[in-house]
Amino acid sequence: MRRRAAPGTPRGGGSGPGRLELELAQAAVAAVEAVGGHAAAVYLRSSTPDLLRLAVLAGLPSTLFRPWWRAQVNRPLPVSEVHRSGRAIHFADAEEAMRRFPQLMAGLPFPFGAMYAPLAVRAQKFGVLTVLRRATPGRPVTVDDRHRIRTAAHRLAAALGALADEGVPVEWEGEPLSVQLPALNAPPVRTGRCGWDLDGGEFTADEGMRAVLGPVRADSAGTLAELTDRLSPEDALGLWALARQVAALERPVPRRIRLRGPEGLAHLVEVSAVDTRLDGSLVDLTGGPPVTEASDRLPYGVLSLDRLCRITYLNTSAETLVGRARPDLMGRVLWEALPWLAPGSHEDHYRAALISETDASFVARRAEGEWLEVRLHPAHDGMTATLAPAKSPDAAPPAPAVLDPVAPGALSERSSALYRPVALAIALTEAVTARQVSAVVTEELLPAFGGRQLAIYLLHERHLFLAWETGFPHGFLDRFDGVGLDARLPGVETLTSGRPIFFESMEHLAAAYPGIPLDAHVGARAFLPLIASGRPVGSCILGFDQPRTFSSEERTVLTALAGLIAQALERARRYDTEAAVARGLQDVLLPHRLPTLDTAGTVGRYLPGTQGMEVGGDWYDVVETGDRIALVIGDVQGHGVAAAATMGQVRSAVRAFALSGHDPEQVVSGTNRLLIDLDPGQFASCCYVVLDPATGRTQAVRAGHPQPLLRHPDGRTEVLDLAGGVVLGVDPAAAYPVTETVLDAGAVLALYTDGLVERPGQDIDSGVETLRRALADCGDGPLHQTADLLIREARRSADRPDDIALLLATRWA
């Protein structure tokens, strides 16, 4: 059988979708079908660093999801994490999603399952493919489904890689494309045609009609009586009467009749006359579209919508209730055809129905004093909406069509802005430094209001100092850096007065503050006071490229957001102070150099985590004890000043016990008891190895720490199997057995903390095996070079959830 070529750009002279768009759309549809989902999305990288954009949304109207059109790579969102880490994420229900991604669920608090897979090939990261599914509480995503979406993502990534190799830009800058999903497992619609010569009596039927009603004759010709013999008497008489009626009409007017076929199934037949011949068509209703007449008899309105919320049918009661005729509404998006049903305050109901496929309802005002109850009944292939008269609710939602008529796009922008307080508040909880707070404001606040410029000034000793800027001409804001609180400037007066100041254009700003330096932009400005718990923190300036007004709603939201920003900056200021203390403490406690020996070499490396304060409790040390050396590595739980302080105490204890001549078991046991006495509830892991450089004999003790690695002189590398005890600080009576081995000349011993081998969602044994292979591949180069190779990937990563410590030791030949 010849294989058909994949479709490309449509023929016929028109401009069709490009190759990138076709690949994305096809992949989204295929992924939905592969894992039984009801919507899919593809995020692609953009020209803006660390920003993903929604490129394709299949099975959902994109206007409802405007707040999720952009995804910053450094955000605690599944799309961002999958792109950063290159590892898939799956969750079966909202409970699991809430535990892992509360920021996602704050905006989409509905029960649903989701699968996310990275789009990467040959070290190129293109984006993320995701599929939404029904929630399955208690039933995790199956291995087969994980394999299916991974396969779909690999195929799309390969296609994107091929496009990139051909020079096609694989980036997304515009709005997302919407894709309608095909119906799954829909029965085929069977149709047929027939003809009846009124003069000669000959009746003909095509293959389709014979397949539905049975053969008339082998040569497809016969008489109408041969057909009616297969029908019930009442249907046969009705068909004869219809035929005579149509034949008697002076002009060709079609008439319809429902017939029950030989198998008892319902069929629709339409007959019209041309001269002395009757032409008929048949539709098998068992596999075709719904019967509209039944819903036309209902006393309430019924609308059928596809997955993109376009109206595919409405009954006569719906026409009456909405005051619009069916031809005016068919094929149009629901809220574009009926603006009083626009998202606004109803969008969560639409999203809930479409994402979770559960019923939703709300009350909407069609006109002054006229309210309708809207019930949404979603399914995989679309949604049914019912309308019925309702009483005015106690708290009437706004009716955009009556009170404030605006375009549907503007409504979507407004709803997006209303989501920003939640998204920004959650994002600010993740930001711990003033720079991170400013970056969050840039990435979350500016896009919500269409802003292009941002400046944040912080108060210090009655002067405002520029802490962050973006979008302003280079050097323009320098003249305002360090201004006192007595200066007559809007950025100063918004803080001293405690009220925001808005200017619709630069002309208005210049009129209010004559002589103030202006940049080349002509747009609006918003000056917001940053006040936390009554204490002045600074001021924030938002700039816009074009003049614009600020609605009362926007002014309220911006003022509230300014309060959140001020709280975050105040918290960051305290955090920065604590971080400086912790970094200083850690810098003092970690060894600045290791002992230089004639018979052995040691090299240590330390990388702080990139999340939070970047200060933790990992440490390493090398202690000379006579003719032997003690190699020590450990990891105190937690981060910050407390972890660094505990690390110093544990390191000092180990060093003191070692220098006192205690054997390895006594060193670790004594440190364990001391830690319990000093800080009950704090614990640490540790690996302590005593090496005799002359003989290579080693004695090792392990307290809840990862097993060391040993690369032999011939390159063979293994994970040492050291007996061990529990972590330090838990059991004062814990025992710590000693394991003896021999370190051959030229061999390399590697001690490390779990930050080097642990990855979210990955078994630690897999990380250890990866490190073992990396050590084996290092060869017999210098020890410092080996250390740099082992931490190279971790050093390049901007997402290190934990500290990393590495200690290598070798004996000279």
Side-chain angles (χ1 to χ4, degrees):
M1 181 176 66
R2 187 177 65 180
R3 182 179 180 183
R4 291 181 296 176
T9 302
R11 299 178 181 177
S15 61
R19 294 173 60 192
L20 177 60
E21 289 84 352
L22 286 172
E23 292 289 358
L24 298 177
Q26 180 181 355
V29 172
V32 168
E33 296 183 357
V35 301
H38 54 254
V42 179
Y43 282 85
L44 287 186
R45 64 193 184 188
S46 68
S47 60
T48 303
D50 297 330
L51 177 66
L52 301 177
R53 292 186 183 273
L54 181 61
V56 164
L57 186 59
L60 293 172
S62 63
T63 53
L64 280 180
F65 297 88
R66 187 178 294 268
W68 296 272
W69 284 8
R70 305 162 75 255
Q72 294 292 336
V73 173
N74 60 352
R75 287 287 172 268
L77 296 168
V79 167
S80 305
E81 183 172 317
V82 168
H83 185 71
R84 287 196 313 266
S85 66
R87 293 183 294 274
I89 289 176
H90 314 295
F91 52 81
D93 55 28
E95 182 178 352
E96 182 180 357
M98 179 61 77
R99 288 196 302 268
R100 300 179 62 184
F101 302 102
Q103 184 169 339
L104 172 70
M105 301 310 294
L108 298 172
F110 319 118
F112 66 93
M115 306 176 69
Y116 300 82
L119 299 174
V121 62
R122 299 191 303 274
Q124 290 191 80
K125 292 184 176 182
F126 296 113
V128 177
L129 170 67
T130 180
V131 176
L132 301 184
R133 313 197 304 173
R134 273 184 173 269
T136 56
R139 290 189 289 124
V141 178
T142 66
V143 174
D144 287 343
D145 281 344
R146 292 170 186 256
H147 172 73
R148 292 185 186 107
I149 193 170
R150 184 169 62 248
T151 299
H154 285 171
R155 288 174 179 168
L156 176 56
L160 297 179
L163 289 177
D165 292 342
E166 296 175 21
V168 178
V170 184
E171 292 181 345
W172 201 262
E173 300 300 334
E175 296 186 357
L177 301 176
S178 292
V179 179
Q180 179 68 294
L181 294 175
L184 299 179
N185 303 320
V189 178
R190 299 190 298 173
T191 62
R193 300 281 304 176
C194 65
W196 180 18
D197 186 343
L198 299 176
D199 291 339
E202 183 182 73
F203 181 81
T204 59
D206 68 0
E207 183 178 350
M209 178 164 281
R210 295 197 308 274
V212 176
L213 296 180
V216 177
R217 281 164 65 181
D219 58 0
S220 79
T223 66
L224 187 61
E226 289 176 307
L227 168 64
T228 57
D229 285 346
R230 294 177 174 81
L231 304 177
S232 62
E234 60 273 19
D235 284 349
L237 287 172
L239 182 59
W240 276 103
L242 177 64
R244 293 171 64 89
Q245 179 190 30
V246 172
L249 295 175
E250 296 180 356
R251 57 190 178 88
V253 178
R255 289 288 186 269
R256 296 176 181 175
I257 187 172
R258 292 204 189 310
L259 303 177
R260 188 175 61 182
E263 299 176 356
L265 303 178
H267 310 297
L268 177 67
V269 176
E270 181 176 282
V271 179
S272 61
V274 180
D275 296 329
T276 61
R277 178 177 177 81
L278 293 181
D279 286 326
S281 60
L282 174 144
V283 177
D284 177 15
L285 296 179
T286 60
V291 180
T292 61
E293 287 84 346
S295 64
D296 282 338
R297 304 185 188 104
L298 295 174
Y300 51 85
V302 176
L303 297 93
S304 181
L305 312 173
D306 64 16
R307 290 288 303 182
L308 303 185
C309 291
R310 297 176 301 192
I311 301 172
T312 58
Y313 166 77
L314 70 158
N315 67 353
T316 54
S317 295
E319 289 182 288
T320 302
L321 288 170
V322 303
R324 300 282 296 278
R326 190 175 300 174
D328 295 338
L329 302 176
M330 294 289 286
R332 299 181 62 187
V333 176
L334 177 65
W335 45 82
E336 293 178 2
L338 304 171
W340 49 274
L341 284 175
S345 58
H346 311 314
E347 61 185 15
D348 266 347
H349 300 291
Y350 292 125
R351 280 196 282 257
L354 290 167
I355 291 179
S356 61
E357 290 196 341
T358 56
D359 293 352
S361 64
F362 58 89
V363 176
R365 182 167 62 179
R366 191 185 78 82
E368 188 65 34
E370 294 186 24
W371 296 85
L372 294 178
E373 181 184 24
V374 183
R375 293 185 177 274
L376 305 175
H377 307 277
H380 180 82
D381 295 328
M383 184 162 59
T384 298
T386 62
L387 308 176
K391 295 180 180 180
S392 173
D394 294 335
V402 176
L403 299 179
D404 186 17
V406 292
L411 281 172
S412 185
E413 290 285 2
R414 176 178 297 175
S415 64
S416 175
L418 292 176
Y419 266 95
R420 292 300 171 178
V422 175
L424 181 61
I426 296 176
L428 287 174
T429 63
E430 304 288 334
V432 294
T433 67
R435 185 172 185 84
Q436 290 173 343
V437 171
S438 302
V440 166
V441 175
T442 302
E443 296 161 359
E444 296 288 349
L445 185 61
L446 286 183
F449 294 90
R452 294 293 181 269
Q453 299 166 306
L454 171 71
I456 293 178
Y457 287 83
L458 296 181
L459 180 64
H460 179 66
E461 295 182 350
R462 297 188 58 79
H463 288 76
L464 286 173
F465 294 92
L466 183 63
W468 179 274
E469 66 168 308
T470 183
F472 285 93
H474 178 69
F476 174 76
L477 295 179
D478 292 347
R479 70 198 73 188
F480 304 109
D481 193 13
V483 297
L485 294 185
D486 56 349
R488 191 175 183 274
L489 294 169
V492 173
E493 293 187 2
T494 189
L495 179 62
T496 56
S497 67
R499 60 180 180 82
I501 305 174
F502 299 93
F503 297 101
E504 297 181 359
S505 67
M506 294 299 284
E507 288 81 0
H508 290 172
L509 173 58
Y513 293 86
I516 187 173
L518 303 176
D519 60 23
H521 291 78
V522 297
R525 289 289 186 274
F527 296 84
L528 308 174
L530 301 179
I531 300 175
S533 302
R535 294 188 302 275
V537 175
S539 60
C540 175
I541 305 173
L542 298 180
F544 302 84
D545 286 344
Q546 300 297 326
R548 57 162 294 172
T549 60
F550 294 91
S551 66
S552 59
E553 179 183 80
E554 289 174 322
R555 292 172 185 243
T556 300
V557 171
L558 284 170
T559 303
L561 293 178
L564 293 177
I565 296 167
Q567 294 282 358
L569 287 170
E570 184 69 8
R571 184 178 66 248
R573 181 178 293 175
R574 294 192 298 268
Y575 190 91
D576 288 340
T577 301
E578 182 183 352
V581 173
R583 279 191 292 269
L585 180 61
Q586 186 180 50
D587 186 60
V588 170
L589 294 175
L590 285 175
H592 287 202
R593 65 179 184 84
L594 299 179
T596 301
L597 306 173
D598 295 333
T599 54
T602 58
V603 169
R605 294 289 185 268
Y606 173 80
L607 291 177
T610 59
Q611 298 179 4
M613 194 176 289
E614 301 185 6
V615 178
D618 290 20
W619 93 95
Y620 62 86
D621 201 359
V622 177
V623 184
E624 292 184 85
T625 59
D627 57 353
R628 299 187 303 171
I629 58 173
L631 310 171
V632 192
I633 197 163
D635 182 3
V636 176
Q637 70 162 3
H639 298 82
V641 173
T646 302
M647 178 267 284
Q649 292 173 322
V650 174
R651 176 176 179 267
S652 298
V654 171
R655 175 173 280 271
F657 283 123
L659 292 174
S660 298
H662 291 81
D663 62 44
E665 193 279 334
Q666 292 173 330
V667 170
V668 176
S669 296
T671 304
N672 174 51
R673 290 189 294 270
L674 180 63
L675 178 58
I676 294 174
D677 293 338
L678 289 174
D679 190 358
Q682 186 71 281
F683 58 86
S685 68
C686 179
C687 187
Y688 181 87
V689 180
V690 176
L691 168 65
D692 183 345
T695 64
R697 178 172 174 267
T698 66
Q699 293 178 299
V701 175
R702 192 171 60 88
H705 202 81
Q707 298 277 13
L709 301 179
L710 178 62
R711 181 165 64 81
H712 296 276
D714 60 3
R716 180 172 55 89
T717 306
E718 63 177 315
V719 180
L720 291 181
D721 185 15
L722 302 184
V726 298
V727 293
L728 307 177
V730 174
D731 181 7
Y736 295 97
V738 177
T739 302
E740 295 192 3
T741 186
V742 175
L743 184 67
D744 295 329
V748 175
L749 181 66
L751 310 179
Y752 54 90
T753 56
D754 55 11
L756 189 58
V757 292
E758 275 190 335
R759 298 292 183 272
Q762 181 179 345
D763 188 81
I764 191 173
D765 290 340
S766 176
V768 172
E769 173 59 22
T770 300
L771 183 63
R772 186 199 66 79
R773 290 197 302 266
L775 179 60
D777 294 340
C778 285
D780 55 359
L783 204 60
H784 67 86
Q785 179 178 318
T786 298
D788 291 336
L789 289 173
L790 293 181
I791 67 168
R792 180 176 57 183
E793 182 179 350
R795 188 188 296 277
R796 291 175 177 174
S797 175
D799 183 28
R800 292 193 299 272
D802 200 0
D803 313 322
I804 293 173
L806 173 70
L807 179 61
L808 302 182
T810 187
R811 288 179 60 218
W812 307 130

